[in-house]
Amino acid sequence: MVKVKMNVQTAYKGQLLRSGKIYEVEKDTAKRWIAAKLAEEVKED
């Protein structure tokens, strides 16, 4: 699982993901969203 910060609002698995919020999604999904600039990866410190 990867944490991402959404750049856009979208629906995912019946859940509304809001722009600017941080969510945890599957790695493959996160890679697609980051490539399409729908989200940015959140780096953990």
Side-chain angles (χ1 to χ4, degrees):
M1 299 293 272
V2 178
K3 287 189 179 183
V4 293
K5 181 178 179 183
M6 299 303 296
N7 292 330
V8 298
Q9 179 173 299
T10 190
Y12 176 66
K13 292 189 176 181
Q15 187 178 5
L16 183 63
L17 306 185
R18 301 227 180 236
S19 178
K21 302 269 184 183
I22 296 173
Y23 299 96
E24 194 168 5
V25 296
E26 296 174 15
K27 189 175 184 179
D28 291 339
T29 303
K31 287 173 83 174
R32 285 196 313 272
W33 288 359
I34 292 164
K37 302 207 184 304
L38 298 177
E40 302 170 7
E41 186 174 355
V42 175
K43 300 289 185 190
E44 305 250 351
D45 290 336

